[in-house]
Short mmCIF file of all heavy atoms in Angstrom, two decimals:
data_model
loop_
_atom_site.label_atom_id
_atom_site.label_comp_id
_atom_site.label_asym_id
_atom_site.label_seq_id
_atom_site.Cartn_x
_atom_site.Cartn_y
_atom_site.Cartn_z
N ILE H 206 -58.71 107.24 79.81
CA ILE H 206 -57.54 108.02 80.24
C ILE H 206 -57.23 107.69 81.76
O ILE H 206 -56.08 107.51 82.12
CB ILE H 206 -57.79 109.54 80.02
CG1 ILE H 206 -57.80 109.88 78.56
CG2 ILE H 206 -56.72 110.41 80.84
CD1 ILE H 206 -58.21 111.23 78.23
N VAL H 207 -58.22 107.78 82.51
CA VAL H 207 -58.01 107.41 83.97
C VAL H 207 -57.43 105.96 84.19
O VAL H 207 -56.38 105.80 84.80
CB VAL H 207 -59.29 107.45 84.85
CG1 VAL H 207 -59.02 106.85 86.19
CG2 VAL H 207 -59.84 108.90 84.92
N MET H 208 -57.99 105.00 83.42
CA MET H 208 -57.41 103.65 83.63
C MET H 208 -56.00 103.48 83.03
O MET H 208 -55.20 102.77 83.47
CB MET H 208 -58.43 102.64 83.16
CG MET H 208 -59.72 102.63 83.93
SD MET H 208 -60.86 101.36 83.44
CE MET H 208 -60.22 99.93 84.16
N GLY H 209 -55.81 104.25 81.91
CA GLY H 209 -54.54 104.11 81.22
C GLY H 209 -53.48 104.85 82.11
O GLY H 209 -52.31 104.21 82.32
N ILE H 210 -53.74 105.93 82.71
CA ILE H 210 -52.73 106.59 83.54
C ILE H 210 -52.48 105.92 84.77
O ILE H 210 -51.39 105.80 85.39
CB ILE H 210 -53.18 108.07 83.82
CG1 ILE H 210 -53.27 108.97 82.61
CG2 ILE H 210 -52.28 108.73 84.98
CD1 ILE H 210 -51.94 109.14 82.00
N GLU H 211 -53.59 105.11 85.32
CA GLU H 211 -53.40 104.25 86.46
C GLU H 211 -52.40 103.18 86.12
O GLU H 211 -51.59 102.77 86.99
CB GLU H 211 -54.76 103.74 86.90
CG GLU H 211 -54.64 102.85 88.20
CD GLU H 211 -54.08 103.58 89.39
OE1 GLU H 211 -54.64 104.56 89.71
OE2 GLU H 211 -53.09 102.99 90.02
N GLY H 212 -52.46 102.63 84.93
CA GLY H 212 -51.63 101.53 84.52
C GLY H 212 -50.09 102.00 84.44
O GLY H 212 -49.27 101.37 84.90
N VAL H 213 -49.95 103.28 83.93
CA VAL H 213 -48.63 103.90 83.91
C VAL H 213 -48.15 104.17 85.28
O VAL H 213 -47.01 103.87 85.64
CB VAL H 213 -48.68 105.23 83.01
CG1 VAL H 213 -47.29 105.86 83.15
CG2 VAL H 213 -48.94 104.87 81.58
N ASN H 214 -49.01 104.67 86.16
CA ASN H 214 -48.59 104.77 87.57
C ASN H 214 -48.13 103.52 88.24
O ASN H 214 -47.13 103.54 88.88
CB ASN H 214 -49.87 105.50 88.39
CG ASN H 214 -49.62 105.63 89.86
OD1 ASN H 214 -48.56 106.23 90.18
ND2 ASN H 214 -50.42 105.04 90.62
N THR H 215 -48.87 102.52 87.97
CA THR H 215 -48.53 101.20 88.59
C THR H 215 -47.18 100.83 88.02
O THR H 215 -46.31 100.30 88.80
CB THR H 215 -49.67 100.14 88.25
OG1 THR H 215 -50.79 100.59 88.86
CG2 THR H 215 -49.21 98.82 88.77
N ALA H 216 -46.98 100.90 86.76
CA ALA H 216 -45.65 100.50 86.21
C ALA H 216 -44.51 101.31 86.81
O ALA H 216 -43.40 100.82 87.10
CB ALA H 216 -45.69 100.64 84.71
N ILE H 217 -44.68 102.64 87.00
CA ILE H 217 -43.72 103.54 87.60
C ILE H 217 -43.43 103.10 89.04
O ILE H 217 -42.27 102.97 89.42
CB ILE H 217 -44.16 105.00 87.46
CG1 ILE H 217 -44.02 105.52 86.12
CG2 ILE H 217 -43.35 105.88 88.44
CD1 ILE H 217 -44.73 106.89 85.86
N GLU H 218 -44.47 102.80 89.77
CA GLU H 218 -44.27 102.30 91.11
C GLU H 218 -43.50 101.05 91.17
O GLU H 218 -42.66 100.75 92.10
CB GLU H 218 -45.62 102.21 91.88
CG GLU H 218 -46.25 103.54 92.20
CD GLU H 218 -47.59 103.41 92.92
OE1 GLU H 218 -48.14 102.30 92.97
OE2 GLU H 218 -48.16 104.50 93.24
N LYS H 219 -43.87 100.13 90.33
CA LYS H 219 -43.15 98.76 90.25
C LYS H 219 -41.74 98.96 89.98
O LYS H 219 -40.79 98.29 90.47
CB LYS H 219 -43.80 97.79 89.32
CG LYS H 219 -45.27 97.55 89.65
CD LYS H 219 -45.39 96.63 90.88
CE LYS H 219 -46.83 96.32 91.11
NZ LYS H 219 -47.14 95.73 92.44
N ILE H 220 -41.39 99.82 88.93
CA ILE H 220 -39.98 100.11 88.67
C ILE H 220 -39.24 100.72 89.76
O ILE H 220 -38.16 100.32 90.18
CB ILE H 220 -39.88 101.04 87.35
CG1 ILE H 220 -40.45 100.29 86.08
CG2 ILE H 220 -38.53 101.51 87.22
CD1 ILE H 220 -40.62 101.13 84.91
N CYS H 221 -39.90 101.66 90.46
CA CYS H 221 -39.30 102.43 91.58
C CYS H 221 -38.98 101.33 92.67
O CYS H 221 -37.89 101.34 93.36
CB CYS H 221 -40.15 103.44 92.14
SG CYS H 221 -40.18 104.88 91.06
N ASP H 222 -39.93 100.39 92.99
CA ASP H 222 -39.77 99.53 94.04
C ASP H 222 -38.57 98.47 93.67
O ASP H 222 -37.90 98.07 94.44
CB ASP H 222 -41.03 98.70 94.32
CG ASP H 222 -42.10 99.60 95.00
OD1 ASP H 222 -41.84 100.74 95.55
OD2 ASP H 222 -43.36 99.22 94.92
N TYR H 223 -38.55 98.12 92.37
CA TYR H 223 -37.46 97.28 91.87
C TYR H 223 -36.07 97.93 92.05
O TYR H 223 -35.11 97.39 92.59
CB TYR H 223 -37.72 96.87 90.52
CG TYR H 223 -36.66 95.96 89.93
CD1 TYR H 223 -36.74 94.60 90.21
CD2 TYR H 223 -35.77 96.47 89.07
CE1 TYR H 223 -35.81 93.78 89.78
CE2 TYR H 223 -34.71 95.59 88.49
CZ TYR H 223 -34.74 94.21 88.92
OH TYR H 223 -33.79 93.33 88.41
N ILE H 224 -36.07 99.21 91.66
CA ILE H 224 -34.69 99.91 91.67
C ILE H 224 -34.26 100.27 93.15
O ILE H 224 -33.10 99.96 93.47
CB ILE H 224 -34.84 101.18 90.90
CG1 ILE H 224 -35.01 100.98 89.40
CG2 ILE H 224 -33.67 102.08 91.14
CD1 ILE H 224 -35.33 102.18 88.63
N GLN H 225 -35.23 100.54 93.98
CA GLN H 225 -35.05 100.93 95.37
C GLN H 225 -36.04 100.45 96.26
O GLN H 225 -37.09 101.02 96.45
CB GLN H 225 -34.73 102.44 95.54
CG GLN H 225 -34.50 102.98 96.95
CD GLN H 225 -33.34 102.38 97.54
OE1 GLN H 225 -33.46 101.31 98.11
NE2 GLN H 225 -32.22 102.88 97.41
N PRO H 226 -35.92 99.21 96.78
CA PRO H 226 -36.87 98.63 97.63
C PRO H 226 -36.92 99.25 99.07
O PRO H 226 -38.01 99.19 99.72
CB PRO H 226 -36.46 97.14 97.84
CG PRO H 226 -35.03 97.11 97.33
CD PRO H 226 -34.82 98.30 96.52
N ASN H 227 -35.91 100.02 99.38
CA ASN H 227 -35.92 100.73 100.67
C ASN H 227 -36.54 102.08 100.57
O ASN H 227 -36.63 102.65 99.53
CB ASN H 227 -34.58 100.85 101.27
CG ASN H 227 -33.96 99.53 101.48
OD1 ASN H 227 -34.57 98.48 101.95
ND2 ASN H 227 -32.60 99.38 101.07
N LEU H 228 -37.08 102.74 101.64
CA LEU H 228 -37.52 104.09 101.62
C LEU H 228 -36.49 105.04 101.15
O LEU H 228 -35.39 104.95 101.63
CB LEU H 228 -38.06 104.50 103.03
CG LEU H 228 -39.45 104.14 103.46
CD1 LEU H 228 -39.68 104.47 104.99
CD2 LEU H 228 -40.44 104.67 102.48
N ASP H 229 -36.87 105.90 100.25
CA ASP H 229 -35.96 106.80 99.63
C ASP H 229 -36.70 108.00 99.22
O ASP H 229 -37.65 107.90 98.54
CB ASP H 229 -35.27 106.12 98.39
CG ASP H 229 -34.22 107.09 97.85
OD1 ASP H 229 -34.70 108.17 97.28
OD2 ASP H 229 -33.06 106.76 97.64
N PRO H 230 -36.33 109.26 99.69
CA PRO H 230 -37.16 110.44 99.48
C PRO H 230 -37.23 110.71 97.95
O PRO H 230 -38.31 111.21 97.49
CB PRO H 230 -36.34 111.52 100.14
CG PRO H 230 -35.38 110.87 101.13
CD PRO H 230 -35.25 109.44 100.65
N LYS H 231 -36.22 110.40 97.16
CA LYS H 231 -36.33 110.73 95.76
C LYS H 231 -37.23 109.76 95.06
O LYS H 231 -38.02 110.20 94.21
CB LYS H 231 -34.86 110.61 95.10
CG LYS H 231 -33.93 111.70 95.51
CD LYS H 231 -32.60 111.50 94.86
CE LYS H 231 -31.69 112.64 95.46
NZ LYS H 231 -30.32 112.54 94.93
N ILE H 232 -37.23 108.50 95.45
CA ILE H 232 -38.22 107.50 94.93
C ILE H 232 -39.64 107.89 95.38
O ILE H 232 -40.60 107.83 94.59
CB ILE H 232 -37.91 106.07 95.25
CG1 ILE H 232 -36.50 105.68 94.64
CG2 ILE H 232 -38.99 105.13 95.07
CD1 ILE H 232 -36.60 105.44 93.15
N GLY H 233 -39.73 108.33 96.63
CA GLY H 233 -41.09 108.79 97.09
C GLY H 233 -41.57 109.92 96.34
O GLY H 233 -42.88 109.96 96.04
N PHE H 234 -40.70 110.91 96.00
CA PHE H 234 -41.14 111.99 95.17
C PHE H 234 -41.65 111.66 93.72
O PHE H 234 -42.75 112.11 93.33
CB PHE H 234 -39.91 113.00 94.98
CG PHE H 234 -40.08 114.24 94.23
CD1 PHE H 234 -40.77 115.33 94.77
CD2 PHE H 234 -39.69 114.30 92.86
CE1 PHE H 234 -40.95 116.37 93.99
CE2 PHE H 234 -39.96 115.41 92.14
CZ PHE H 234 -40.60 116.53 92.72
N ILE H 235 -40.96 110.62 93.17
CA ILE H 235 -41.33 110.14 91.82
C ILE H 235 -42.67 109.49 91.98
O ILE H 235 -43.56 109.74 91.09
CB ILE H 235 -40.28 109.13 91.23
CG1 ILE H 235 -39.07 109.93 90.98
CG2 ILE H 235 -40.91 108.42 90.05
CD1 ILE H 235 -37.80 109.01 90.74
N LYS H 236 -42.86 108.66 92.96
CA LYS H 236 -44.12 107.92 93.16
C LYS H 236 -45.28 108.96 93.47
O LYS H 236 -46.45 108.75 93.04
CB LYS H 236 -44.03 106.86 94.25
CG LYS H 236 -43.08 105.77 93.80
CD LYS H 236 -42.71 104.92 95.00
CE LYS H 236 -43.54 103.52 95.02
NZ LYS H 236 -43.22 102.74 96.18
N ASP H 237 -44.95 109.95 94.24
CA ASP H 237 -46.07 110.89 94.49
C ASP H 237 -46.50 111.70 93.32
O ASP H 237 -47.61 112.00 93.10
CB ASP H 237 -45.56 111.95 95.58
CG ASP H 237 -45.34 111.35 97.02
OD1 ASP H 237 -45.90 110.28 97.22
OD2 ASP H 237 -44.78 112.00 97.87
N ILE H 238 -45.52 112.04 92.42
CA ILE H 238 -45.87 112.71 91.18
C ILE H 238 -46.74 111.84 90.28
O ILE H 238 -47.72 112.26 89.72
CB ILE H 238 -44.49 113.18 90.40
CG1 ILE H 238 -43.95 114.38 91.13
CG2 ILE H 238 -44.93 113.50 88.96
CD1 ILE H 238 -42.61 114.79 90.65
N SER H 239 -46.31 110.53 90.28
CA SER H 239 -47.04 109.60 89.44
C SER H 239 -48.52 109.42 89.88
O SER H 239 -49.49 109.44 89.18
CB SER H 239 -46.33 108.33 89.36
OG SER H 239 -46.99 107.35 88.59
N ALA H 240 -48.69 109.39 91.30
CA ALA H 240 -50.06 109.22 91.85
C ALA H 240 -50.73 110.49 91.66
O ALA H 240 -51.98 110.56 91.37
CB ALA H 240 -49.87 108.99 93.28
N GLY H 241 -49.99 111.65 91.69
CA GLY H 241 -50.75 112.98 91.40
C GLY H 241 -51.29 113.03 89.96
O GLY H 241 -52.35 113.66 89.83
N ALA H 242 -50.51 112.43 88.97
CA ALA H 242 -51.20 112.42 87.71
C ALA H 242 -52.49 111.70 87.64
O ALA H 242 -53.38 112.09 86.99
CB ALA H 242 -50.07 111.77 86.75
N VAL H 243 -52.52 110.53 88.34
CA VAL H 243 -53.82 109.87 88.48
C VAL H 243 -54.80 110.62 89.07
O VAL H 243 -55.93 110.64 88.61
CB VAL H 243 -53.59 108.47 89.19
CG1 VAL H 243 -54.90 107.77 89.36
CG2 VAL H 243 -52.52 107.57 88.51
N MET H 244 -54.49 111.40 90.08
CA MET H 244 -55.44 112.18 90.83
C MET H 244 -56.11 113.35 89.92
O MET H 244 -57.25 113.52 89.89
CB MET H 244 -54.87 112.88 92.07
CG MET H 244 -55.87 113.80 92.75
SD MET H 244 -57.13 113.00 93.52
CE MET H 244 -56.45 112.40 94.94
N ILE H 245 -55.16 113.90 89.13
CA ILE H 245 -55.58 114.93 88.18
C ILE H 245 -56.60 114.42 87.15
O ILE H 245 -57.66 115.04 87.00
CB ILE H 245 -54.41 115.64 87.44
CG1 ILE H 245 -53.50 116.37 88.40
CG2 ILE H 245 -54.93 116.49 86.24
CD1 ILE H 245 -52.14 116.81 87.86
N VAL H 246 -56.39 113.33 86.53
CA VAL H 246 -57.24 112.82 85.58
C VAL H 246 -58.49 112.23 86.13
O VAL H 246 -59.60 112.24 85.56
CB VAL H 246 -56.60 111.75 84.57
CG1 VAL H 246 -55.52 112.41 83.79
CG2 VAL H 246 -56.08 110.53 85.28
N SER H 247 -58.39 111.71 87.41
CA SER H 247 -59.57 111.26 88.13
C SER H 247 -60.61 112.38 88.44
O SER H 247 -61.68 112.20 88.29
CB SER H 247 -59.22 110.50 89.42
OG SER H 247 -58.44 109.29 88.98
N VAL H 248 -59.99 113.55 88.95
CA VAL H 248 -60.82 114.68 89.27
C VAL H 248 -61.47 115.19 87.99
O VAL H 248 -62.70 115.46 88.03
CB VAL H 248 -60.05 115.73 89.96
CG1 VAL H 248 -60.76 116.99 90.13
CG2 VAL H 248 -59.64 115.23 91.37
N LEU H 249 -60.72 115.30 86.92
CA LEU H 249 -61.35 115.85 85.72
C LEU H 249 -62.42 114.86 85.13
O LEU H 249 -63.36 115.30 84.64
CB LEU H 249 -60.22 116.07 84.64
CG LEU H 249 -59.30 117.22 85.06
CD1 LEU H 249 -58.17 117.31 84.07
CD2 LEU H 249 -59.98 118.54 85.11
N ALA H 250 -62.16 113.50 85.20
CA ALA H 250 -63.10 112.52 84.85
C ALA H 250 -64.38 112.68 85.63
O ALA H 250 -65.57 112.51 85.14
CB ALA H 250 -62.53 111.16 84.80
N SER H 251 -64.23 112.93 86.94
CA SER H 251 -65.33 113.09 87.90
C SER H 251 -66.13 114.32 87.45
O SER H 251 -67.41 114.31 87.44
CB SER H 251 -64.88 113.18 89.28
OG SER H 251 -64.25 112.00 89.64
N ILE H 252 -65.50 115.28 87.05
CA ILE H 252 -66.15 116.55 86.54
C ILE H 252 -66.94 116.32 85.37
O ILE H 252 -68.07 116.71 85.12
CB ILE H 252 -65.23 117.75 86.45
CG1 ILE H 252 -64.64 118.19 87.89
CG2 ILE H 252 -65.74 118.93 85.70
CD1 ILE H 252 -63.41 119.14 87.85
N VAL H 253 -66.27 115.57 84.43
CA VAL H 253 -67.06 115.19 83.26
C VAL H 253 -68.27 114.46 83.59
O VAL H 253 -69.35 114.68 82.92
CB VAL H 253 -66.08 114.31 82.35
CG1 VAL H 253 -66.84 113.55 81.22
CG2 VAL H 253 -65.00 115.11 81.63
#
Side-chain angles (χ1 to χ4, degrees):
I206 290 168
V207 169
M208 293 183 80
I210 294 296
E211 182 62 51
V213 172
N214 176 54
T215 299
I217 289 169
E218 288 181 353
K219 299 292 183 190
I220 290 168
C221 287
D222 291 343
Y223 180 77
I224 291 170
Q225 178 55 272
N227 301 318
L228 275 177
D229 180 299
K231 291 179 182 177
I232 293 293
F234 181 78
I235 293 165
K236 291 168 103 176
D237 289 347
I238 289 173
S239 183
V243 176
M244 178 64 81
I245 290 169
V246 296
S247 296
V248 168
L249 293 174
S251 298
I252 292 169
V253 165

